[in-house]
Amino acid sequence: MEKSNMVKIGVSACFFYPDIERAVFGHKSLSYMENDMARWIGKKGVLPVLLPDLEGTLLEDILDQMDGIILQGGSDIAPQHYGEEPIGSWRGDPYRDQYELKILDYAIKYHKPVLGICRGFQLMNVYFGGTMYQDIASQLPHAGLHRSASLYDKISHPIHIEQGTLFDRLYGHVLNPLVNTVHHQAIKDLGRDLEVYARSEDGFVEAFGYSKEAPGKVMGVQWHPEFSQTQAGKLLDEDLIFNVFIEHARQHRN
């Protein structure tokens, strides 16, 4: 395939900060992409690009070349970015927040397709003025189980698909839609101009789309579609989400 035909997808980086106990690059910050994410994006004709932590126009010049943006999962959003003080030990990652908020702001401003996953979904909600429950277990003890540190992506729960939405068209035929669940935070107040695509059985928003763009062009999911192979055959078909996003990316580059 000719290089010019590749769809370029920029992926926001996860960070390891300096840690002198780490044997390699202990005094340095590291940027990385989780391997399941790389495999999920890296299909034929798609070029995943890890977005570097650069300043100002240097980062913008790279973003300009991307056909779409994926915001990876990872650490919590710092409560200060939605007007709250931290509870307990949930401090979040304000440095990564600033890096990704710049990326998201650029993407929205220039109408680029965006897919937010787990943390990325939460960051999108905060960007659009929403707030978060900092810790489901302590703030809402009667809620269902949404995270297990030991089982990680081996657990799942049902979701309710909102009728008439993009997800209804994608998954409305599924009798018992299940998704994996690897999050201890959840949306409290929904951001402006966000249309709910799906909710968990205990009422949390699990997927949404930005209503000022075409359905699915700017969307987020609370689960990890890239981890679906851990429970192969049990969960929603993750490729349906990816295909919608990639089609928007192809259209954006034309």
Side-chain angles (χ1 to χ4, degrees):
M1 174 172 291
E2 296 179 6
K3 292 182 180 179
S4 60
N5 290 332
M6 300 283 279
V7 178
K8 297 184 290 296
I9 301 301
V11 183
S12 66
C14 301
F15 296 143
F16 280 136
Y17 299 108
D19 178 1
I20 60 173
E21 299 299 321
R22 190 170 61 230
V24 179
F25 295 120
H27 292 269
K28 300 296 182 181
S29 291
L30 308 179
S31 299
Y32 67 95
M33 184 191 309
E34 189 276 325
N35 279 351
D36 286 334
M37 175 68 75
R39 296 187 187 102
W40 188 57
I41 303 169
K43 295 178 171 61
K44 187 174 179 60
V46 180
L47 175 64
V49 178
L50 187 65
L51 296 171
D53 180 19
L54 301 177
E55 292 297 325
T57 58
L58 293 174
L59 178 58
E60 291 179 359
D61 288 346
I62 295 171
L63 293 173
D64 183 61
Q65 298 300 309
M66 298 298 106
D67 302 312
I69 301 295
I70 288 181
L71 303 172
Q72 284 195 87
S75 53
D76 296 335
I77 311 300
Q80 67 209 54
H81 286 131
Y82 48 91
E84 293 189 8
E85 293 296 321
I87 63 171
S89 60
W90 310 116
R91 302 285 166 174
D93 189 344
Y95 184 89
R96 182 176 169 188
D97 294 349
Q98 294 288 3
Y99 154 81
E100 286 187 309
L101 286 168
K102 288 187 296 184
I103 292 170
L104 179 57
D105 186 62
Y106 187 93
I108 297 299
K109 184 183 298 183
Y110 291 99
H111 304 282
K112 291 182 179 286
V114 179
L115 174 58
I117 293 174
C118 199
R119 171 196 159 87
F121 163 85
Q122 296 173 359
L123 186 93
M124 291 171 72
N125 185 61
V126 169
Y127 173 82
F128 287 110
T131 63
M132 304 297 302
Y133 289 109
Q134 294 185 39
D135 181 50
I136 295 171
S138 61
Q139 291 183 281
L140 299 165
H142 299 298
L145 178 65
H146 288 266
R147 186 179 192 277
S148 166
S150 58
L151 294 175
Y152 204 62
D153 58 343
K154 295 184 177 70
I155 64 171
S156 61
H157 63 62
I159 60 170
H160 169 73
I161 305 295
E162 296 292 325
Q163 292 187 352
T165 65
L166 169 69
F167 274 35
D168 189 24
R169 295 194 290 277
L170 294 178
Y171 299 115
H173 62 285
V174 180
L175 294 179
N176 183 34
L178 297 174
V179 297
N180 59 33
T181 181
V182 195
H183 63 103
H184 79 99
Q185 301 195 323
I187 288 178
K188 183 193 300 182
D189 300 306
L190 186 66
R192 61 187 176 276
D193 301 317
L194 296 178
E195 178 189 11
V196 176
Y197 288 168
R199 295 181 185 271
S200 62
E201 281 197 321
D202 48 0
F204 295 120
V205 177
E206 287 277 331
F208 57 52
Y210 180 44
S211 63
K212 292 193 173 182
E213 294 285 2
K217 184 174 180 180
V218 176
M219 63 177 167
V221 295
Q222 180 63 85
W223 64 90
H224 284 265
E226 76 278 18
F227 292 168
S228 290
Q229 288 306 305
T230 304
Q231 301 182 62
K234 296 181 180 180
L235 309 179
L236 290 182
D237 183 351
E238 72 277 7
D239 285 339
L240 299 186
I241 297 170
F242 185 78
N243 291 345
V244 168
F245 169 70
I246 286 296
E247 183 55 35
H248 280 298
R250 288 197 179 99
Q251 292 175 10
H252 180 78
R253 72 197 298 261
N254 293 332

